[in-house]
Amino acid sequence: AAKEAGGNCLRRYQSLTHSSWLDNIQLDAEMRKALEQQEFVLYYQPKIDMRTRRIVAMEALLRWVRGDGKSIPPSRFITLAEQTGFIVNLGEFAMREACRQMMEWRARGLQDVKVSVNVSIKQFLHANMLEQVQQTLSAVDMPPSLLDIEITESVLMQNQRDLVSILKHLLKLGVDISIDDFGTGYSSFGYLREFMPSSIKIDQSFIHRMKDDWREQAIVSTLVQMAHNLHLNVVAEGVETEEQLEILQTLGCDVLQGFYFSPPVSSERMNRMLLEEGYID
Ligand code: C2E
Ligand code: MG
Ligand code: MG
Ligand code: MG
C-alpha cells in the first residue's frame, strides 16, 4: 500500500519511526529558540581547484550545538525545518552570516574565493527570495559573483516554473548556481534545457564507490564529460583518499571537496588555516 500511495506515504512512515510526532514538535520549538539564542553557527569546508590546489570557495554548513553541549546533526534539523517551514528563517540566517564572514575574510586579504550557501526549495519558493539575496549582498557590499548557491538536484525534478525563473534571475545577477548531489534521485537532465547552472557537484556516493567498482567510475567519467560538453564546472564532493583524488584527476574533474583536504571547520579554525597558508594576514 505504501508503494501505491507513492513518496508521501513512505515519508510519513519514516518520520513516525525515526522520531515521533511529539519529538518533532518539541525539536521545532527548541529550534526556534536556538536561533535567537545563537546556538546555530556556520562551519566552512573549502573547495579546492584541481590544477592550482588553491581554495576557490568555502561551503557554509549549518551546525547546531545546544546549550547542553549536544549537537544535533543537519540531517535531523534541516529535514525537520524543511517540513515546518522554519528553514526560511534558518536559511536567511545562513545566507547573511556566510556573506558577512566572506567579507570579513576579504577585508583580511582573501582573494578570488567564493562562498557557497545551501538553499532549500522552500526558501526559493518563499516570497521575494531574489530581493532577499540582493539585500543581503548589498548590506555587506558583496559582489554577486562571490556568491554560489547550492541547490540539490532532486528539487529541480519537481519542474517548478517559478524556481527556474528565480534561478535564471540569480544567474543574470551574477550569482553562481551549483547543482548539489548531482546524479542522485531521478535525474532527467530535462531542466538543463531551461537553464544552465554554473557547476554540478557529483554526489559523494559515486566518489566513495569509485575505487572498487568500475561502473561507478564509468558513471563519474560520463558525468564529467557531459558537464564539460555543456561548459559546466565539475565539483567532486566527499573526496577522502589519495586514490579518489588520482582517479578524479584522470577523469578531468575541476574542483575537489572532502575530508582529504579538510572537514567542515569552525570560522575560528578556518581563520587559523587561512592565516597559516598565507591566504589572509
Ligand atoms: P551537502 O550540501 O551535500 O553537504 C555535504 C555533506 O557531506 C556535509 O554534511 C559535509 O559535512 C559532508 N562531507 C563533506 N566532505 C565529506 C567527506 O569527505 N566524506 C563524508 N563522508 N562526508 C563529507 P552536513 O554538514 O552534515 O550537511 C548535510 C546536508 O545538510 C548538506 O548536504 C545540506 O544538504 C544540508 N545543509 C547543511 N547546511 C545547510 C544550510 O545552511 N541550508 C540548507 N538548506 N541545507 C543545509
Ligand atoms: Mg552542499
Ligand atoms: Mg552534496
Ligand atoms: Mg546532501
Side-chain angles (χ1 to χ4, degrees):
K3 209 171 179 184
E4 271 167 43
N8 266 335
C9 190
L10 189 65
R11 204 173 311 136
R12 171 162 288 164
Y13 173 72
Q14 278 175 344
S15 62
L16 279 177
T17 49
H18 271 223
S19 40
S20 75
W21 175 77
L22 204 61
D23 283 347
N24 280 347
I25 292 185
Q26 203 175 355
L27 196 66
D28 185 52
E30 269 183 56
M31 212 161 30
R32 287 167 197 269
K33 253 185 260 145
L35 185 58
E36 284 167 26
Q37 292 170 354
Q38 301 179 311
E39 290 177 8
F40 285 101
V41 292
L42 289 179
Y43 270 41
Y44 296 90
Q45 186 180 34
K47 296 183 184 174
I48 312 292
D49 183 287
M50 173 75 84
R51 281 161 285 272
T52 63
R53 299 291 161 104
R54 301 265 307 167
I55 299 174
V56 288
M58 299 282 193
E59 179 174 3
L61 293 154
L62 271 169
R63 293 290 178 266
W64 178 11
V65 183
R66 288 198 313 207
D68 62 7
K70 272 197 199 124
S71 44
I72 320 271
S75 55
R76 174 90 176 91
F77 70 79
I78 297 278
T79 316
L80 180 63
E82 278 172 347
Q83 285 166 9
T84 65
F86 189 60
I87 192 69
V88 173
N89 308 53
L90 262 187
E92 210 182 316
F93 162 76
M95 176 80 69
R96 230 184 312 117
E97 177 55 19
C99 293
R100 188 205 60 76
Q101 179 64 70
M102 182 43 66
M103 292 315 284
E104 189 186 307
W105 279 326
R106 281 176 69 83
R108 296 178 63 182
L110 188 69
Q111 280 173 31
D112 305 322
V113 176
K114 301 184 187 229
V115 68
S116 302
V117 180
N118 293 283
V119 175
S120 88
I121 176 112
K122 278 259 171 86
Q123 279 172 269
F124 267 106
L125 300 180
H126 187 254
N128 57 47
M129 159 78 184
L130 265 175
E131 281 153 50
Q132 224 185 76
V133 171
Q134 275 171 303
Q135 270 170 20
T136 307
L137 291 172
S138 64
V140 291
D141 237 331
M142 184 165 127
S145 60
L146 291 179
L147 177 63
D148 170 49
I149 288 181
E150 295 194 6
I151 178 164
T152 57
E153 189 183 33
S154 56
V155 152
L156 292 161
M157 300 302 127
Q158 303 174 21
N159 223 339
Q160 302 261 10
R161 288 221 149 264
D162 295 353
L163 177 63
V164 168
S165 127
I166 296 167
L167 291 170
K168 280 184 175 166
H169 271 97
L170 285 166
L171 285 168
K172 215 194 249 163
L173 257 185
V175 172
D176 276 0
I177 305 287
S178 296
I179 309 298
D180 208 346
D181 305 337
F182 192 83
T184 57
Y186 319 91
S187 322
S188 75
F189 307 134
Y191 58 83
L192 292 178
R193 235 180 273 126
E194 308 205 34
F195 95 107
M196 273 294 149
S198 322
S199 330
I200 59 160
K201 284 185 85 173
I202 301 178
D203 191 66
Q204 43 183 292
S205 59
F206 296 107
I207 310 302
H208 295 163
R209 291 192 292 250
M210 253 181 352
K211 184 183 146 272
D212 305 308
D213 190 339
W214 66 270
R215 287 167 302 191
E216 298 287 330
Q217 205 171 309
I219 293 170
V220 175
S221 165
T222 306
L223 294 179
V224 172
Q225 281 182 38
M226 185 198 71
H228 283 168
N229 288 342
L230 293 165
H231 304 287
L232 304 177
N233 204 37
V234 185
V235 184
E237 66 175 9
V239 181
E240 294 178 354
T241 68
E242 180 96 46
E243 272 166 319
Q244 290 165 350
L245 177 118
E246 278 163 14
I247 297 172
L248 290 164
Q249 184 157 33
T250 310
L251 297 182
C253 192
D254 307 294
V255 175
L256 307 164
Q257 188 182 25
F259 295 169
Y260 179 79
F261 297 98
S262 168
V265 297
S266 68
S267 58
E268 293 79 24
R269 239 181 110 192
M270 185 53 78
N271 277 337
R272 259 175 281 137
M273 280 170 52
L274 293 174
L275 201 59
E276 273 164 28
E277 294 181 26
Y279 283 93
I280 59 174
D281 305 314

